[in-house]
Amino acid sequence: ARPRVGYYFTGKTGSQVLTDKIKKLQVKDFQSIPVVVAENVSVYDAIVTMFLEDVGTLFVVDQGSILVGVLSRKDLLRTSIGKQELSTIPVNIIMTRMPNITMCEREDSLIDVAQKLIEKQIDALPVVKLTEKGIEVIGRITKTNMTKALVSLAIDGLV
Amino acid sequence: ARPRVGYYFTGKTGSQVLTDKIKKLQVKDFQSIPVVVAENVSVYDAIVTMFLEDVGTLFVVDQGSILVGVLSRKDLLRTSIGKQELSTIPVNIIMTRMPNITMCEREDSLIDVAQKLIEKQIDALPVVKLTEKGIEVIGRITKTNMTKALVSLAIDGLV
Protein backbone atom coordinates (compact mmCIF):
# COMPACT_ATOMS: atom_id res chain seq x y z
CA ALA A 1 0.00 0.00 0.00
CA ARG A 2 1.14 3.55 -0.73
CA PRO A 3 2.04 5.68 2.28
CA ARG A 4 -0.62 8.34 2.93
CA VAL A 5 1.64 11.35 2.58
CA GLY A 6 0.23 13.08 -0.49
CA TYR A 7 3.20 11.98 -2.59
CA TYR A 8 4.88 8.72 -3.35
CA PHE A 9 8.12 7.57 -4.88
CA THR A 10 7.75 7.14 -8.64
CA GLY A 11 11.15 5.63 -9.19
CA LYS A 12 12.10 8.77 -11.08
CA THR A 13 14.89 11.10 -10.02
CA GLY A 14 14.50 14.90 -10.07
CA SER A 15 16.40 14.95 -13.35
CA GLN A 16 14.01 12.51 -14.98
CA VAL A 17 10.98 14.51 -13.86
CA LEU A 18 12.69 17.53 -15.40
CA THR A 19 13.50 15.95 -18.75
CA ASP A 20 10.03 14.41 -18.99
CA LYS A 21 8.43 17.81 -18.40
CA ILE A 22 10.61 19.59 -20.93
CA LYS A 23 10.03 16.93 -23.57
CA LYS A 24 6.28 17.48 -23.25
CA LEU A 25 6.49 21.17 -24.16
CA GLN A 26 4.82 21.91 -27.49
CA VAL A 27 5.36 24.50 -30.18
CA LYS A 28 1.87 25.95 -29.64
CA ASP A 29 2.75 26.98 -26.07
CA PHE A 30 5.55 29.28 -27.25
CA GLN A 31 4.93 30.23 -30.90
CA SER A 32 4.64 33.83 -32.17
CA ILE A 33 2.53 35.46 -34.86
CA PRO A 34 3.94 35.01 -38.39
CA VAL A 35 4.80 37.99 -40.60
CA VAL A 36 4.26 37.31 -44.30
CA VAL A 37 4.96 39.09 -47.60
CA ALA A 38 3.74 38.37 -51.13
CA GLU A 39 6.17 36.72 -53.52
CA ASN A 40 6.23 39.71 -55.91
CA VAL A 41 7.30 42.36 -53.35
CA SER A 42 10.80 43.77 -53.74
CA VAL A 43 13.76 42.89 -51.54
CA TYR A 44 13.79 46.55 -50.46
CA ASP A 45 10.17 46.38 -49.29
CA ALA A 46 10.83 43.08 -47.52
CA ILE A 47 13.69 44.69 -45.57
CA VAL A 48 11.45 47.61 -44.62
CA THR A 49 8.73 45.15 -43.49
CA MET A 50 11.31 43.28 -41.40
CA PHE A 51 12.21 46.52 -39.58
CA LEU A 52 8.62 47.72 -39.18
CA GLU A 53 7.45 44.38 -37.78
CA ASP A 54 10.71 43.90 -35.88
CA VAL A 55 11.22 40.24 -36.84
CA GLY A 56 14.24 38.32 -38.09
CA THR A 57 12.39 36.05 -40.54
CA LEU A 58 9.62 36.68 -43.10
CA PHE A 59 7.48 34.03 -44.75
CA VAL A 60 6.57 34.41 -48.41
CA VAL A 61 3.07 33.41 -49.52
CA ASP A 62 1.26 33.20 -52.86
CA GLN A 63 -2.14 34.77 -53.67
CA GLY A 64 -3.91 31.95 -51.85
CA SER A 65 -1.90 32.52 -48.64
CA ILE A 66 0.04 29.32 -49.25
CA LEU A 67 3.66 29.17 -48.06
CA VAL A 68 6.15 29.38 -50.92
CA GLY A 69 9.31 30.73 -49.31
CA VAL A 70 11.29 31.95 -46.30
CA LEU A 71 13.49 35.06 -46.03
CA SER A 72 16.02 35.47 -43.23
CA ARG A 73 17.86 38.62 -42.19
CA LYS A 74 20.96 36.85 -43.48
CA ASP A 75 19.41 36.31 -46.96
CA LEU A 76 18.47 39.99 -47.13
CA LEU A 77 21.87 41.19 -45.92
CA ARG A 78 23.64 39.00 -48.50
CA THR A 79 21.52 40.49 -51.27
CA SER A 80 21.91 44.04 -50.02
CA ILE A 81 25.68 44.01 -50.48
CA GLY A 82 25.31 42.82 -54.09
CA LYS A 83 25.35 45.19 -57.03
CA GLN A 84 21.64 44.94 -57.82
CA GLU A 85 19.01 47.61 -57.20
CA LEU A 86 17.04 46.26 -54.21
CA SER A 87 13.76 47.87 -55.21
CA THR A 88 13.66 45.97 -58.51
CA ILE A 89 14.49 42.41 -57.31
CA PRO A 90 11.41 40.41 -56.21
CA VAL A 91 11.85 38.31 -53.08
CA ASN A 92 11.07 35.08 -54.93
CA ILE A 93 14.50 35.33 -56.59
CA ILE A 94 16.39 35.14 -53.30
CA MET A 95 14.08 33.27 -50.91
CA THR A 96 14.57 29.71 -49.67
CA ARG A 97 11.82 27.76 -51.44
CA MET A 98 10.09 24.40 -51.29
CA PRO A 99 11.21 21.67 -50.78
CA ASN A 100 14.09 23.25 -48.83
CA ILE A 101 11.92 24.87 -46.15
CA THR A 102 12.08 23.30 -42.69
CA MET A 103 8.65 23.51 -41.07
CA CYS A 104 6.81 22.35 -37.98
CA GLU A 105 3.29 21.95 -36.61
CA ARG A 106 1.57 23.30 -33.48
CA GLU A 107 1.63 19.99 -31.65
CA ASP A 108 5.30 19.25 -32.38
CA SER A 109 7.72 18.92 -29.48
CA LEU A 110 9.44 22.23 -28.71
CA ILE A 111 12.71 20.41 -28.13
CA ASP A 112 12.60 18.67 -31.52
CA VAL A 113 12.14 22.07 -33.12
CA ALA A 114 14.97 23.56 -31.03
CA GLN A 115 17.24 20.80 -32.32
CA LYS A 116 16.22 21.55 -35.91
CA LEU A 117 17.02 25.25 -35.46
CA ILE A 118 20.49 24.30 -34.23
CA GLU A 119 21.21 21.62 -36.86
CA LYS A 120 20.02 23.72 -39.80
CA GLN A 121 21.58 26.91 -38.36
CA ILE A 122 18.42 28.95 -38.83
CA ASP A 123 16.70 31.48 -36.57
CA ALA A 124 13.05 30.53 -37.11
CA LEU A 125 10.67 27.94 -38.55
CA PRO A 126 7.17 28.50 -39.90
CA VAL A 127 4.43 26.75 -37.93
CA VAL A 128 2.17 25.31 -40.63
CA LYS A 129 -1.15 23.58 -41.14
CA LEU A 130 -1.88 21.37 -44.14
CA THR A 131 -5.18 22.35 -45.76
CA GLU A 132 -6.90 21.40 -49.04
CA LYS A 133 -5.29 24.42 -50.66
CA GLY A 134 -1.77 23.55 -49.51
CA ILE A 135 0.53 24.54 -46.65
CA GLU A 136 -0.78 27.51 -44.63
CA VAL A 137 1.45 29.46 -42.24
CA ILE A 138 -0.20 29.86 -38.85
CA GLY A 139 2.77 30.78 -36.66
CA ARG A 140 6.46 31.33 -36.25
CA ILE A 141 8.84 29.74 -33.76
CA THR A 142 12.24 31.29 -33.15
CA LYS A 143 15.36 31.18 -31.00
CA THR A 144 13.76 34.06 -29.05
CA ASN A 145 10.83 31.75 -28.20
CA MET A 146 13.37 29.11 -27.09
CA THR A 147 15.12 31.67 -24.88
CA LYS A 148 11.76 32.59 -23.34
CA ALA A 149 10.99 28.89 -22.75
CA LEU A 150 14.29 28.51 -20.89
CA VAL A 151 13.48 31.52 -18.70
CA SER A 152 9.97 30.28 -17.95
CA LEU A 153 11.35 26.88 -16.92
CA ALA A 154 13.66 28.64 -14.46
CA ILE A 155 10.96 30.90 -13.06
CA ASP A 156 7.84 28.76 -12.97
CA GLY A 157 9.33 25.30 -13.02
CA LEU A 158 7.20 25.28 -16.16
CA VAL A 159 4.53 27.20 -17.97
CA ALA B 1 16.47 8.67 11.57
CA ARG B 2 16.59 8.71 7.80
CA PRO B 3 15.36 5.60 6.01
CA ARG B 4 18.28 3.65 4.52
CA VAL B 5 17.12 3.75 0.93
CA GLY B 6 19.86 5.77 -0.72
CA TYR B 7 17.60 8.79 -1.06
CA TYR B 8 15.50 10.89 1.26
CA PHE B 9 12.77 13.47 0.96
CA THR B 10 14.23 16.98 0.75
CA GLY B 11 10.94 18.81 1.00
CA LYS B 12 11.44 19.99 -2.57
CA THR B 13 9.10 19.09 -5.39
CA GLY B 14 10.38 18.01 -8.80
CA SER B 15 9.67 21.52 -10.07
CA GLN B 16 11.79 23.13 -7.36
CA VAL B 17 14.69 20.80 -8.06
CA LEU B 18 14.32 21.82 -11.70
CA THR B 19 14.24 25.57 -11.15
CA ASP B 20 17.14 25.37 -8.67
CA LYS B 21 19.25 23.50 -11.21
CA ILE B 22 18.47 25.87 -14.06
CA LYS B 23 19.19 28.94 -11.93
CA LYS B 24 22.66 27.58 -11.20
CA LEU B 25 23.65 27.43 -14.89
CA GLN B 26 26.40 29.90 -15.72
CA VAL B 27 27.36 31.80 -18.84
CA LYS B 28 30.75 30.05 -19.00
CA ASP B 29 29.07 26.65 -19.49
CA PHE B 30 27.43 27.76 -22.74
CA GLN B 31 29.37 30.72 -24.18
CA SER B 32 30.89 30.80 -27.68
CA ILE B 33 34.07 32.33 -29.07
CA PRO B 34 33.77 36.07 -29.82
CA VAL B 35 34.39 37.47 -33.30
CA VAL B 36 35.90 40.96 -33.27
CA VAL B 37 36.71 43.68 -35.82
CA ALA B 38 38.77 46.86 -35.50
CA GLU B 39 36.88 50.15 -35.24
CA ASN B 40 38.29 51.50 -38.49
CA VAL B 41 37.14 48.63 -40.77
CA SER B 42 34.39 49.44 -43.26
CA VAL B 43 30.76 48.38 -42.91
CA TYR B 44 31.27 46.33 -46.09
CA ASP B 45 34.20 44.42 -44.57
CA ALA B 46 32.24 43.87 -41.34
CA ILE B 47 29.38 42.30 -43.32
CA VAL B 48 31.85 40.03 -45.14
CA THR B 49 33.39 39.03 -41.78
CA MET B 50 29.94 38.26 -40.41
CA PHE B 51 29.31 35.86 -43.32
CA LEU B 52 32.78 34.29 -43.24
CA GLU B 53 32.61 33.67 -39.49
CA ASP B 54 28.90 32.83 -39.66
CA VAL B 55 27.86 34.88 -36.64
CA GLY B 56 25.01 37.33 -36.06
CA THR B 57 26.93 39.80 -33.88
CA LEU B 58 30.42 41.32 -34.12
CA PHE B 59 32.28 43.09 -31.33
CA VAL B 60 34.34 46.16 -32.16
CA VAL B 61 37.67 46.63 -30.36
CA ASP B 62 40.33 49.35 -30.29
CA GLN B 63 44.11 48.84 -30.85
CA GLY B 64 44.47 47.54 -27.30
CA SER B 65 41.76 44.88 -27.79
CA ILE B 66 39.38 46.84 -25.56
CA LEU B 67 35.64 46.64 -26.32
CA VAL B 68 34.33 49.85 -27.89
CA GLY B 69 31.23 48.71 -29.78
CA VAL B 70 28.75 46.06 -30.92
CA LEU B 71 27.41 45.44 -34.44
CA SER B 72 24.30 43.33 -35.03
CA ARG B 73 23.05 41.92 -38.32
CA LYS B 74 20.17 44.37 -37.92
CA ASP B 75 22.56 47.37 -37.65
CA LEU B 76 24.37 46.25 -40.79
CA LEU B 77 21.15 45.61 -42.73
CA ARG B 78 19.81 49.05 -41.77
CA THR B 79 22.97 50.69 -43.07
CA SER B 80 23.06 48.60 -46.24
CA ILE B 81 19.74 49.95 -47.48
CA GLY B 82 20.93 53.53 -46.98
CA LYS B 83 22.39 55.60 -49.79
CA GLN B 84 25.98 55.49 -48.56
CA GLU B 85 28.86 53.54 -50.08
CA LEU B 86 29.39 50.66 -47.60
CA SER B 87 33.11 50.35 -48.29
CA THR B 88 33.78 53.93 -47.17
CA ILE B 89 31.80 54.03 -43.88
CA PRO B 90 33.80 52.84 -40.84
CA VAL B 91 31.90 50.64 -38.38
CA ASN B 92 32.43 53.11 -35.53
CA ILE B 93 29.85 55.40 -37.19
CA ILE B 94 27.04 52.86 -36.91
CA MET B 95 27.96 50.61 -33.96
CA THR B 96 26.28 50.60 -30.56
CA ARG B 97 28.88 52.14 -28.26
CA MET B 98 29.62 52.55 -24.56
CA PRO B 99 27.77 53.15 -22.29
CA ASN B 100 24.90 51.56 -24.25
CA ILE B 101 26.43 48.08 -24.53
CA THR B 102 24.82 45.37 -22.40
CA MET B 103 27.53 42.98 -21.19
CA CYS B 104 27.96 40.00 -18.90
CA GLU B 105 30.68 38.01 -17.16
CA ARG B 106 31.61 34.30 -17.23
CA GLU B 107 30.18 33.57 -13.81
CA ASP B 108 26.85 35.33 -14.41
CA SER B 109 23.64 33.33 -14.27
CA LEU B 110 22.63 32.07 -17.71
CA ILE B 111 18.99 32.84 -16.93
CA ASP B 112 19.72 36.46 -15.98
CA VAL B 113 21.48 36.86 -19.33
CA ALA B 114 18.58 35.17 -21.16
CA GLN B 115 16.23 37.71 -19.58
CA LYS B 116 18.48 40.58 -20.68
CA LEU B 117 18.49 39.30 -24.28
CA ILE B 118 14.69 39.26 -24.24
CA GLU B 119 14.20 42.65 -22.51
CA LYS B 120 16.72 44.47 -24.69
CA GLN B 121 15.61 42.61 -27.83
CA ILE B 122 19.14 41.69 -28.83
CA ASP B 123 20.63 38.46 -30.16
CA ALA B 124 23.92 38.36 -28.27
CA LEU B 125 25.94 39.86 -25.41
CA PRO B 126 29.71 40.11 -25.12
CA VAL B 127 31.19 38.13 -22.23
CA VAL B 128 33.77 40.49 -20.74
CA LYS B 129 36.56 40.67 -18.21
CA LEU B 130 37.65 43.89 -16.54
CA THR B 131 41.42 44.33 -16.74
CA GLU B 132 43.76 47.22 -16.00
CA LYS B 133 43.54 48.28 -19.64
CA GLY B 134 39.74 48.29 -19.70
CA ILE B 135 36.98 45.91 -20.75
CA GLU B 136 38.26 42.88 -22.67
CA VAL B 137 35.93 40.63 -24.70
CA ILE B 138 36.49 36.98 -23.85
CA GLY B 139 33.30 35.39 -25.18
CA ARG B 140 29.90 35.75 -26.76
CA ILE B 141 26.56 34.47 -25.51
CA THR B 142 23.62 34.27 -27.91
CA LYS B 143 20.05 33.06 -28.34
CA THR B 144 21.60 30.05 -30.10
CA ASN B 145 23.48 29.20 -26.89
CA MET B 146 20.15 29.55 -24.99
CA THR B 147 18.47 27.18 -27.46
CA LYS B 148 21.29 24.68 -26.95
CA ALA B 149 20.93 25.01 -23.17
CA LEU B 150 17.22 24.19 -23.46
CA VAL B 151 18.00 21.09 -25.55
CA SER B 152 20.70 19.89 -23.15
CA LEU B 153 18.29 20.24 -20.23
CA ALA B 154 15.82 18.02 -22.06
CA ILE B 155 18.40 15.42 -23.03
CA ASP B 156 20.73 15.20 -20.06
CA GLY B 157 18.57 16.59 -17.33
CA LEU B 158 21.49 18.99 -17.30
CA VAL B 159 24.96 19.48 -18.59
Side-chain angles (χ1 to χ4, degrees):
Chain A
R2 286 175 190 162
R4 294 182 211 159
V5 288
Y7 61 85
Y8 59 94
F9 185 59
T10 60
K12 289 185 178 183
T13 63
S15 282
Q16 280 175 303
V17 171
L18 159 58
T19 57
D20 287 357
K21 272 185 143 178
I22 299 179
K23 283 175 187 165
K24 278 181 195 142
L25 297 179
Q26 289 180 304
V27 167
K28 65 181 174 192
D29 303 323
F30 292 94
Q31 72 184 43
S32 298
I33 291 167
V35 179
V36 302
V37 293
E39 54 188 328
N40 59 346
V41 306
S42 70
V43 169
Y44 183 88
D45 286 344
I47 295 173
V48 171
T49 302
M50 192 169 267
F51 278 104
L52 288 177
E53 302 285 343
D54 200 21
V55 292
T57 307
L58 296 174
F59 304 119
V60 185
V61 294
D62 68 11
Q63 304 97 310
S65 296
I66 297 304
L67 178 69
V68 293
V70 174
L71 288 168
S72 69
R73 209 175 265 161
K74 204 166 156 182
D75 296 327
L76 295 172
L77 186 60
R78 190 185 299 109
T79 308
S80 73
I81 59 167
K83 294 292 164 213
Q84 304 116 308
E85 177 55 51
L86 299 180
S87 56
T88 62
I89 316 169
V91 290
N92 62 18
I93 302 290
I94 67 155
M95 69 190 188
T96 297
R97 56 182 63 243
M98 292 294 187
N100 299 320
I101 301 173
T102 306
M103 300 171 290
C104 67
E105 293 184 273
R106 292 184 80 235
E107 276 77 25
D108 283 352
S109 145
L110 190 74
I111 296 303
D112 288 349
V113 173
Q115 285 179 305
K116 279 185 191 171
L117 292 176
I118 293 166
E119 278 165 29
K120 309 264 177 182
Q121 301 189 31
I122 49 183
D123 288 330
L125 291 192
V127 183
V128 302
K129 189 173 75 172
L130 196 62
T131 68
E132 290 168 9
K133 288 158 50 190
I135 296 164
E136 269 181 43
V137 186
I138 57 174
R140 150 181 145 255
I141 186 103
T142 69
K143 285 179 181 167
T144 303
N145 299 130
M146 299 301 171
T147 305
K148 287 179 179 169
L150 182 68
V151 170
S152 67
L153 279 171
I155 290 174
D156 313 329
L158 251 224
V159 190
Chain B
R2 286 176 190 159
R4 294 184 213 159
V5 289
Y7 61 85
Y8 58 94
F9 185 60
T10 60
K12 289 186 178 183
T13 63
S15 281
Q16 281 175 301
V17 172
L18 160 58
T19 56
D20 288 356
K21 271 184 144 177
I22 300 178
K23 283 175 187 163
K24 278 181 196 145
L25 298 178
Q26 289 180 305
V27 166
K28 66 181 173 191
D29 303 322
F30 292 93
Q31 72 184 43
S32 298
I33 291 168
V35 179
V36 303
V37 293
E39 55 188 327
N40 58 345
V41 306
S42 71
V43 169
Y44 183 88
D45 287 342
I47 295 173
V48 171
T49 302
M50 192 170 268
F51 278 104
L52 289 177
E53 302 286 343
D54 200 22
V55 292
T57 306
L58 297 174
F59 304 120
V60 185
V61 294
D62 68 10
Q63 303 98 308
S65 297
I66 296 305
L67 178 70
V68 292
V70 174
L71 289 168
S72 69
R73 212 174 262 162
K74 205 167 156 182
D75 295 328
L76 295 172
L77 186 59
R78 189 185 298 108
T79 308
S80 74
I81 60 168
K83 294 294 164 212
Q84 305 115 308
E85 177 54 52
L86 299 180
S87 55
T88 63
I89 317 169
V91 291
N92 62 18
I93 302 291
I94 67 155
M95 69 188 187
T96 297
R97 57 180 65 244
M98 293 295 186
N100 299 319
I101 302 173
T102 306
M103 300 171 290
C104 68
E105 293 184 272
R106 292 183 82 235
E107 275 77 25
D108 284 352
S109 146
L110 191 73
I111 296 304
D112 288 349
V113 173
Q115 284 179 306
K116 279 185 191 171
L117 291 175
I118 292 166
E119 278 165 30
K120 309 263 177 182
Q121 302 189 31
I122 49 183
D123 289 329
L125 292 192
V127 183
V128 302
K129 189 172 73 171
L130 196 62
T131 68
E132 290 169 8
K133 289 159 48 189
I135 295 165
E136 268 181 43
V137 186
I138 57 172
R140 149 181 146 256
I141 186 104
T142 70
K143 285 179 181 166
T144 302
N145 299 131
M146 299 301 172
T147 304
K148 286 179 180 171
L150 182 68
V151 170
S152 67
L153 279 171
I155 290 175
D156 314 327
L158 250 225
V159 190

